[in-house]
Amino acid sequence: MEIGGTPPRYEAPLSRSTLGGLLVAALLISLLLGVGFGSVPVPTGDVLSVLSGGGTDVQRDIVMNLRLPRVLLGMLVGGSLALAGATFQALLRNPLAEPYILGISGGASLGAVSVIALGLVSASSWALPLAAFAGALLAIWLVFRVATATGRAMDVRVLLLAGVVIAAFFSACIAFILSISPARTVQTAVQWSMGSLAGASWGSVLVAAVYTLPAAGVLIALSRPLNLMSIGEETAYYLGADVEGVKRTTLLIAALITAAGVAVAGIIGFVGLVVPHAVRLLIGSDHRALLPLSFLGGAVFLTLADLAARVVMDPIEVPIGVVTAFIGVPIFLVLLRRSVGHT
Amino acid sequence: MRRHPTPFRSRMHLLLLFAVSACGPHIDDAPPEAAAATITVVDATGTERHLRGPAQRIVSLVPSATSTLRALGVESRLVGRTDFDTAPWMQILPSVGGGLDPNLEEIVALQPDLVIRFAGEQDPRTPARLDDLGITHFALRPDRLEDAYTSITQLGALTGSEQAADAVVAEIRAELDALRSAVASRPRLRTVYVLGGTPPWVAGSGTYIDDILSLSGGDNVFSDLGSLYASVSPEQIRAREIDVVLVSSAGDFDPTLAPGARIVEVGGTLEIPGPETAEAAWRLAELLHATKLR
C-alpha cells in the first residue's frame, strides 16, 4: 500500500462513521479521565461537586483552573498537530512528513532559547510563547521565500529541502547559545523543548481555540482539493484544482497552527506523524474523513498522553514527548503490521 | 548547577583573620624543608593525590574552592579561576573558562602544581587530559552541607593550612548552631524551592538547599521527591499547603499555584556549599521568617 497517496483498492478495516463514533466517545472519556485523575488524588464525588460549584478551594483550583484548561489545551494542540501532519503528508506526498518538517520546531526553539538565555522569561508569562511563535513564523517565512524563489510555482521538493536546511541552521544557533549559557538556562531550554501542557491556563486555551479552530475548519473545507493533490499536482491541475492556491493556503495554515501549538506547549513529537497514519490505515485516505478524524484522534491521543505524563511518576511530571513516543510507537507498529497483512 | 560566588562575606572574614593569626606562623613562612614533605590527601573520587609540598600555584575550577582558599588566607597562591568566579578580588586572576569545560591550554600556560576540579560525571574529559599532561588535580564534591566541611578540610591539607581550615569549619559549625537555636522557637515553615520552568522544577531532599533550608527553620514540602531535582505537577504545588516559595526571581513562579504563600526572592547565591554557608543560611532564615534574627 502506498501511504502517501489514495490507494485505489484499499479495504479499510473500519468504516468512517464507526471510527468517528469511537473517537467522539473516546474524546468524552479522555475529558472525564483528564479532569478526574491527576497527581493529587481528588475523589470522584468531590470532582463532581466541584463541577457543580462545590468543593474546597484547593479542589476547585486543581479541577477547574489546572486540570480542565490543561485537558482542553491538550485537545486543541493534539488535534492541530495531527491535522497539520495529515495536511503536510498529503501536500508533500511524503509519509515522513510531520508538522515540524518545515523547520518550525527549529525556529520556535531558537525563539524560546533566546528568551530563556536573555532571562526574559520572568518578565511576562507570554514572553516565551510569543518568542516561540515569532521564531516559528521566521522559519515559515524563510522556507516559503526559498521555495518560491525558484519560479512562480512553489516546488514542494525545494520546500522540504529548505525546511531541513533551515532547521539545521537554527539547531546550530541553539547549540551555540546553549554552549555559552549556564546550566540552569540549558535545563530550562531542554525542558521546554520536550514539550509540556503544564503551562495551560484559561487564557492560553482561549487564544489557542480562537486561533486553531477556524484554521482547522478551513483545512477541512479544502479536503476535496487535497484529495486531488495527494495523487499528484499535475493530475490535480488537469482535474481542475487551483493547485498553487490550494497548496499555498493549506501549507501556510498547517504551518501556522503548528506554530501556535509549539508556542503554548513546546515541541511535542509523534502526534502529527503517528495519528494521521493510524487514521489512514483504519479508514483509508479520503481527506474529507481523514482530516476531521485525525483532529479527533490527535485530541484524544494527546489528552491521554498528558494524563500519563502527570501520573506515572507522581509527583514528578514526565515530559509529554516521551509519553507520546512510548505510546505512539507500539500502536503504530501494530497498525502497520496489520495493514501490511491486509494487502 | 551553576555555582555563583557570593558577594557577601562581611563578618566571617574578620573572624577568620583572628583565627589565622592566632594559629602561629603562617604556612607561607614555613622553612623549605617542611615544604619538601609529601602531602597525600584522598579526594572525592576516592583517589589518593600526592603533592611534594603545600600547593603553591593553584588553578581552581570550583568557585566554592576559590572562596575557601581566600578564607584560608592563601588566595595569593591562586593562579587561575573560572568565568563563574565573579567577586571583585578574583578579577586580577586569569580565567580558564567554565569549571566543567575549562580551556586546557590556558591551564597548562599557568603552570599550576594543583588543579582543583569538580568530581562527578559531567566532565569526563578534563581529569583524563590533566593526567596525560602530568598535572596534579584534586576532585571536590561540593553537593551537601557536610561536603562543605570536607572540602574545606581537604583544601587546608593541600595548602598546608590545616589549622586555618579547622578554624573555618569550627566557625561555620558555631554559626549554624547559633542559627538552630535562633529558629528553634519559631514554627517550621512549609517551603518549596523552585528553580523555575513549566512544570515547576523543584529541589528534593539530599540537596544542599534542603540541608540549609532545614536548619533555617523550613521544611521542604518535596522531601519525598525521590530525585535531587525534578519537575512536579502544578497541582502538587497547589495541594501541599505551602507557606513560603523560594525562587531566584519572582517571575520564575506562577503565584496562583500557591495562593496563601509568601514568595521570597533569594537570588542565585544560595547554592554554594563553602565558606559562605553560614552567612547564606542566616540570610535564608531571615528571608524565610521575614524578620531580623540577630
Side-chain angles (χ1 to χ4, degrees):
Chain A
M1 152 212 155
E2 184 196 343
I3 287 173
T6 309
R9 283 182 303 278
Y10 175 65
E11 285 195 22
L14 283 181
S15 81
R16 295 166 190 185
S17 46
T18 313
L19 184 63
L22 286 175
L23 284 177
V24 169
L27 192 68
L28 289 174
I29 292 169
S30 59
L31 171 69
L32 294 176
L33 291 176
V35 172
F37 295 92
S39 177
V40 173
V42 180
T44 313
D46 292 354
V47 173
L48 294 176
S49 79
V50 166
L51 293 176
S52 53
T56 65
D57 278 355
V58 174
Q59 288 174 337
R60 241 194 327 274
D61 260 356
I62 287 178
V63 173
M64 299 304 292
N65 293 328
L66 292 172
R67 288 185 189 169
L68 193 53
R70 193 166 171 159
V71 167
L72 295 177
L73 190 70
M75 289 178 171
L76 289 167
V77 171
S80 307
L81 288 175
L83 183 60
T87 308
F88 281 129
Q89 284 158 15
L91 286 168
L92 305 176
R93 286 182 301 284
N94 185 327
L96 288 176
E98 41 96 30
Y100 306 124
I101 199 157
L102 298 184
I104 294 171
S105 54
S109 301
L110 182 59
V113 167
S114 307
V115 169
I116 294 168
L118 292 171
L120 297 174
V121 178
S122 323
S124 152
S125 60
W126 288 100
L128 190 55
L130 283 177
F133 189 67
L137 290 186
L138 174 69
I140 295 167
W141 180 74
L142 279 172
V143 170
F144 275 64
R145 278 287 313 247
V146 174
T148 49
T150 47
R152 267 172 303 165
M154 181 189 283
D155 187 335
V156 292
R157 291 167 308 169
V158 178
L159 195 71
L160 265 177
L161 283 173
V164 171
V165 170
I166 283 170
F169 179 73
F170 284 147
S171 300
C173 298
I174 293 162
F176 173 69
I177 295 175
L178 292 183
S179 72
I180 55 168
S181 298
R184 190 179 288 193
T185 300
V186 178
Q187 164 71 21
T188 312
V190 168
Q191 189 190 34
W192 179 85
S193 74
M194 291 188 296
S196 173
L197 292 166
S201 64
W202 283 108
S204 58
V205 170
L206 188 69
V207 170
V210 167
Y211 184 96
T212 54
L213 290 178
V218 174
L219 279 184
I220 291 168
L222 288 170
S223 51
R224 193 183 292 271
L226 271 181
N227 272 345
L228 300 176
M229 303 277 290
S230 64
I231 306 169
E233 286 183 18
E234 206 178 345
T235 320
Y237 177 76
Y238 287 121
L239 288 172
D242 169 18
V243 171
E244 278 310 299
V246 171
K247 195 161 57 178
R248 285 172 196 228
T249 315
T250 47
L251 279 173
L252 194 62
I253 292 177
L256 288 175
I257 59 176
T258 305
V262 174
V264 292
I267 297 166
I268 302 176
F270 254 88
V271 182
L273 179 68
V274 163
V275 172
H277 279 312
V279 173
R280 200 178 282 113
L281 290 167
L282 289 170
I283 60 147
S285 301
D286 184 345
H287 289 82
R288 288 171 299 179
L290 177 63
L291 294 188
L293 294 183
S294 290
F295 189 92
L296 282 177
V300 171
F301 182 68
L302 200 61
T303 307
L304 294 178
D306 183 51
L307 177 59
R310 285 185 279 152
V311 299
V312 286
M313 278 187 69
D314 171 54
I316 297 172
E317 273 199 19
V318 181
I320 192 165
V322 173
V323 183
T324 55
F326 277 17
I327 303 177
V329 173
I331 293 179
F332 185 64
L333 289 179
V334 168
L335 284 170
L336 201 60
R337 263 182 75 96
R338 287 249 179 92
S339 78
V340 172
H342 274 293
T343 45
Chain B
M1 188 71 23
R2 178 175 177 175
R3 289 178 166 83
H4 308 252
T6 45
F8 49 88
R9 54 174 65 256
S10 50
R11 238 155 57 87
M12 195 143 67
H13 284 295
L14 282 176
L15 290 164
L16 283 175
L17 271 179
F18 289 113
V20 173
S21 52
C23 301
H26 196 271
I27 192 67
D28 280 340
D29 311 323
E33 57 266 29
T38 300
I39 295 177
T40 300
V41 188
V42 178
D43 77 359
T45 66
T47 315
E48 280 190 356
R49 305 288 178 187
H50 307 282
L51 284 179
R52 238 174 270 147
Q56 300 297 330
R57 294 185 62 82
I58 305 171
V59 171
S60 170
L61 303 178
V62 182
S64 63
T66 316
S67 46
T68 301
L69 291 173
R70 177 161 161 112
L72 299 178
V74 292
E75 73 267 28
S76 59
R77 301 201 218 154
L78 274 165
V79 294
R81 61 172 174 104
T82 69
D83 290 344
F84 300 101
D85 292 298
T86 50
W89 69 268
M90 302 165 178
Q91 298 314 305
I92 50 159
L93 294 170
S95 170
V96 297
L100 292 170
D101 54 345
N103 184 329
L104 281 163
E105 288 188 18
E106 303 271 6
I107 294 179
V108 171
L110 293 169
Q111 295 179 288
D113 58 5
L114 177 65
V115 173
I116 305 291
R117 66 174 183 92
F118 283 109
E121 312 305 315
Q122 302 108 310
D123 179 18
R125 233 175 355 183
T126 305
R129 296 295 294 131
L130 289 173
D131 280 337
D132 293 345
L133 294 162
I135 297 173
T136 306
H137 53 96
F138 189 92
L140 293 181
R141 195 187 298 278
D143 291 347
R144 302 289 302 269
L145 180 57
E146 284 298 321
D147 296 334
Y149 304 138
T150 312
S151 301
I152 292 167
T153 308
Q154 287 168 325
L155 288 169
L158 291 168
T159 53
S161 13
E162 291 88 345
Q163 285 168 311
D166 291 346
V168 172
V169 170
E171 166 68 19
I172 296 174
R173 287 193 192 274
E175 291 245 347
L176 292 182
D177 283 341
L179 176 59
R180 269 193 209 90
S181 6
V183 298
S185 58
R186 296 180 174 273
R188 305 288 293 179
L189 295 167
R190 294 176 56 79
T191 308
V192 60
Y193 183 69
V194 177
L195 293 94
T198 308
W201 194 41
V202 305
S205 61
T207 54
Y208 170 70
I209 190 73
D210 184 88
D211 291 341
I212 65 166
L213 180 61
S214 119
L215 57 87
S216 306
D219 285 327
N220 185 355
V221 296
F222 282 106
S223 54
D224 63 337
L225 198 59
S227 174
L228 295 179
Y229 299 94
S231 299
V232 293
S233 239
E235 61 189 66
Q236 286 285 346
I237 303 239
R238 182 64 186 85
R240 290 198 180 201
E241 294 167 349
I242 292 163
D243 298 317
V244 182
V245 179
L246 300 176
V247 285
S248 45
S249 73
D252 290 343
F253 183 75
D254 172 6
T256 59
L257 289 180
R262 218 156 23 90
I263 296 180
V264 175
E265 291 193 8
V266 290
T269 53
L270 270 182
E271 293 154 26
I272 319 103
E276 291 92 349
T277 288
E279 192 62 38
W282 271 98
R283 192 173 72 96
L284 176 64
E286 294 190 334
L287 287 169
L288 207 59
H289 300 282
T291 180
K292 270 210 103 40
L293 291 167
R294 47 179 183 181

